[in-house]
Amino acid sequence: LERFHARQLRVSPHVLGHSKAHVGRVVAELVRAAKAQGLQPGPLALSLRGDFVRIGSAYEQHKVRSPDCFDILVPLRLPPHLEPQPRRADGPGPCGAFVCGLRARDGWTRRCRPFAEGFCVELQGRSHLSSGLVLRWFQGHLQRCLGAVRYRLQERCRVSLSACPGQPPTLHILPCSDYVCCHISMAVRLIPAIPLGDALYLTALPPEGPHGSPAAEALWGLNASRQEQRLLGWLKEQAPAASCHLKCLQILKGLRDLRKHGLEEPFCSQWGRVLSSYLLKTALFSLLLQGPLEAWDERFLVERLEDLVLYLRDCLRKQVLMDFFLGNSSVPEAVALPRFLKEAAPVNLLSAFDGPTLDLVAFQLISTWIQAPHIIRMYSSPRYLRPAPAP
């Protein structure tokens, strides 16, 4: 496991630092240009707030393999009179996720008809901000601003923007050979985000099919990445200096990815969806706070990794793993949570999957752990480690 982590999973801090700095400079240029060109008179325009928020594994120290993919939240500035309306777990929207509508107040639609017609859809007789319409505007707006950025950055790198329907646009960055010492092409997912305050954001839900319904477009998902980063920072302060909790997460993600090579569809896709990185991270958070953090010293790597696998196995068999931040009263007081999160209804991340699927994933998870040395040897050739083609 140590060799597997060192040779295939561990990302060079030097290369990661260069990549993050380069991504930050390029995204800052694009956001600045998009904000300048998006300013319109009056309070009823959609525009960029002018900043961006770095999220995801590359900024949380548990990135695996190569620092070539990054996630960035781009906060938007909305007109007033749109209020968040959390939906019930049994209401419209995907299972296993917190969903929220942004509903227009009574009478606002008539006064602000151009904005309502351009960015809102009807849900249960009321106008709601459409994530699909906002995403299409965001993609077009960035594409229009790309020319100015491309010209200013031509000595550093080549940049381009691609987008799939219903997905956030991806900024592709190819550094020039004489600019940085780490010549890695990078893909940066730019995610439009609606600020809720207290470093909390709403983002578009992934499309459920090729043609999303208007009701689904009126719903947004919750992004608490900043709270996750605060918790990870607190754990780093409280845990031993040589804590292995992030290494456990990296190794488990690596084993999950290797095991996928030996599975057939449709279970191969279900395996990746059930054991998503967010679910693995949630399980790690829950397990970390159940016992003394001193037990996560590097000397006990195998024991703690086995504990994490068995904890996940039990969650899958019980079909219950609750989101760590929503309505959770056991979050450490040092990690200040917004009131919105404290009062939110708890969400079971596994409720979207049926019992037989979760039982099969639990069986394969234990099998993967028992056969870990064999799986690492079998699927560690360059043929399997080659990254999958981008969509």
Side-chain angles (χ1 to χ4, degrees), residues 97-141:
F98 177 92
V99 292
C100 182
L102 282 165
R103 190 177 69 182
R105 294 177 186 169
D106 291 331
W108 180 81
T109 308
R110 292 190 298 274
R111 296 196 303 273
C112 311
R113 189 174 298 278
F115 182 90
E117 291 178 348
F119 296 105
C120 293
V121 293
E122 291 290 321
L123 179 62
Q124 297 176 346
R126 297 287 295 271
S127 282
H128 288 69
L129 187 69
S130 165
S131 58
L133 294 175
V134 169
L135 190 59
R136 283 194 284 275
W137 170 86
F138 181 73
Q139 292 169 349
H141 187 56

Side-chain angles (χ1 to χ4, degrees), residues 249-297:
L249 181 57
Q250 289 175 309
I251 292 174
L252 193 53
K253 290 199 290 186
L255 290 174
R256 172 201 63 189
D257 295 342
L258 287 189
R259 189 67 191 94
K260 197 162 29 172
H261 293 301
L263 302 176
E264 297 182 357
E265 293 292 355
F267 180 65
C268 181
S269 298
Q270 294 169 339
W271 167 264
R273 283 197 298 269
V274 172
L275 298 182
S276 66
S277 294
Y278 184 76
L279 187 133
L280 297 182
K281 187 164 59 172
T282 300
L284 177 67
F285 288 158
S286 302
L287 187 61
L288 274 166
L289 297 183
Q290 287 185 9
L293 292 175
E294 291 75 18
W296 290 83
D297 189 273

Side-chain angles (χ1 to χ4, degrees), residues 131-182:
S131 58
L133 294 175
V134 169
L135 190 59
R136 283 194 284 275
W137 170 86
F138 181 73
Q139 292 169 349
H141 187 56
L142 291 187
Q143 194 70 55
R144 289 189 295 272
C145 299
L146 192 61
V149 175
R150 186 183 286 122
Y151 175 74
R152 285 201 292 265
L153 298 174
Q154 59 186 354
E155 293 183 0
R156 297 183 193 172
C157 57
R158 294 197 297 272
V159 294
S160 60
L161 198 70
S162 66
C164 294
Q167 300 286 351
T170 299
L171 182 70
H172 300 277
I173 304 173
L174 182 62
C176 296
S177 59
D178 58 347
Y179 179 67
V180 291
C181 64
C182 311

Side-chain angles (χ1 to χ4, degrees), residues 194-245:
I194 309 299
L196 287 181
D198 294 320
L200 206 57
Y201 300 91
L202 294 178
T203 57
L205 294 165
E208 294 183 325
H211 303 290
S213 65
E217 284 199 5
L219 299 175
W220 297 73
L222 191 68
N223 188 291
S225 294
R226 294 295 291 162
Q227 283 70 35
E228 295 170 30
Q229 291 171 4
R230 289 173 187 168
L231 178 61
L232 285 166
W234 179 83
L235 288 168
K236 185 177 180 181
E237 294 174 357
Q238 303 298 316
S243 177
C244 64
H245 62 281

